[in-house]
Amino acid sequence: MIMKQIIRRRMTLAINRNIVYFYWGLPKCQALRIDLSIVHRNKEETIWCQSYIEQNLTSVSEFFLMGLSDNPGLQPLLFGIFLSMYLVGALGNLLIILVVSSDSHLHTPMYFFLSNLSLADIGFISTTVPKTIVDIQTQSRVISYVGCLTQMSFLILFGCMDGMLLTAMAYDRFVAICHPLHYSVIMNPRLCGFLVLVSFFVSLLDSQLHNLIVFQLTCFKDVEISNFFCDPSQLLNLACSDTFSNNIVMYFVGAISGFLPISGIFFSYYKIVSSILRVPSTGGKYKVFSTCGSHLSVVCLFYGTAIGVYLGSALLPSSRKDMVASVVYTVVTPMLNPFIYSLRNRDIKSALWRSLRRTS
């Protein structure tokens, strides 16, 4: 009877080898581990337990996010770090949007794309960090099935949109450097708006394709996600059914959505470098290339860590290194973007000073 009462209190159930995990709805999300070899001592309860497991294996309602650390002493430090990074990232990107929209000198294609990138970064960092902060504060790492899919959808949406907008910004720099006389004609408001809309709809399609693949999973062999957010590749690894075809589709879609933007960026910079090399003076070369420095820094930081995590999760099981790299491209990169663009950009700094003078 005690065993039945324990099992009835369960909220989410998963099987890992011969251990049954029961996750409570408690603040600290404590887990009770029951060895099935011990349960086998009572044949009646064993049969009842196994049938209960078989009935509920397909109806996982919650997942358990492992987080960055289980050490209670590190939780206040992690809470402070994530809260600080979120406030800096969200407020910094919001400041970029306000400055660009309020200063008429910045109403150009380059800063139009930059303001949309800042908007996507706010969405990107808001998808994962607030949930992590709440989990640390409440000492609970449980996320519902619907909440997990929702978080995954928005994460892919804003992450893919970041990549697409970086590609549009690379094209803008290519036109500005390689075709300066035709820049205003080519980069007209209609084309800029079209590129942003294409970025959004391609990202939405990528997000929904990932969602559709995960929806096809009928059961999960475990509910522990080795990250601080719902990673689509790890959800596939937790599936108890054969996911070979789903893995191929997911990585193919990810490769296309990543390969196309990277190809566009490489092509743009190939043309830019070719044009810069034709400039006779060293000072002229530096002046031309300095207009691309901020964009190139963000591209390397974002794609370098994202590709590392993507390939790492495909080739090797998730580890703490993957989690740290995930923090870099989901939290650190959106936080640093405003600093990279404002500190290395005279137009942004001048607009900030003008805004401060107006307010004072």
Side-chain angles (χ1 to χ4, degrees), residues 116-308:
N116 281 278
L117 179 67
S118 295
L119 184 62
D121 281 338
I122 292 175
F124 195 39
I125 198 173
S126 298
T127 302
T128 57
V129 179
K131 168 64 178 171
T132 304
I133 293 173
V134 172
D135 288 350
I136 295 174
Q137 181 66 22
T138 59
Q139 299 182 9
S140 172
R141 297 175 182 174
V142 175
I143 184 170
S144 66
Y145 178 80
V146 175
C148 185
L149 292 185
T150 304
Q151 186 186 62
M152 182 192 71
S153 298
F154 281 107
L155 184 73
I156 297 173
L157 172 65
F158 291 119
C160 184
M161 195 166 180
D162 261 13
M164 297 296 291
L165 288 172
L166 288 172
T167 307
M169 295 173 74
Y171 177 71
D172 173 76
R173 292 298 84 204
F174 157 70
V175 176
I177 294 173
C178 300
H179 305 283
L181 299 179
H182 302 91
Y183 177 76
S184 59
V185 177
I186 297 175
M187 300 303 297
N188 56 74
R190 183 177 297 179
L191 177 63
C192 294
F194 175 75
L195 290 176
V196 171
L197 285 177
V198 168
S199 300
F200 173 75
F201 284 114
V202 169
S203 303
L204 183 63
L205 177 62
D206 185 21
S207 171
Q208 294 310 306
L209 283 175
H210 279 81
N211 237 359
L212 182 62
I213 292 171
V214 175
F215 267 129
Q216 292 178 350
L217 303 179
T218 56
C219 64
F220 297 89
K221 59 189 175 184
D222 202 347
V223 292
E224 292 183 349
I225 300 176
S226 301
N227 216 322
F228 64 97
F229 62 89
C230 287
D231 190 346
S233 61
Q234 292 190 24
L235 285 176
L236 282 180
N237 292 334
L238 295 179
C240 56
S241 57
D242 183 21
T243 60
F244 179 74
S245 58
N246 287 335
N247 268 312
I248 292 177
V249 174
M250 180 172 286
Y251 285 111
F252 176 76
V253 171
I256 294 298
S257 61
F259 176 75
L260 292 179
I262 291 177
S263 299
I265 292 172
F266 270 118
F267 175 79
S268 298
Y269 275 101
Y270 167 74
K271 292 294 186 179
I272 289 171
V273 171
S274 301
S275 297
I276 291 175
L277 292 177
R278 291 196 293 267
V279 177
S281 64
T282 305
K285 292 178 181 178
Y286 175 78
K287 184 177 180 180
V288 173
F289 192 74
S290 62
T291 61
C292 308
S294 300
H295 176 261
L296 196 57
S297 301
V298 173
V299 168
C300 294
L301 187 63
F302 178 77
Y303 277 109
T305 53
I307 292 175

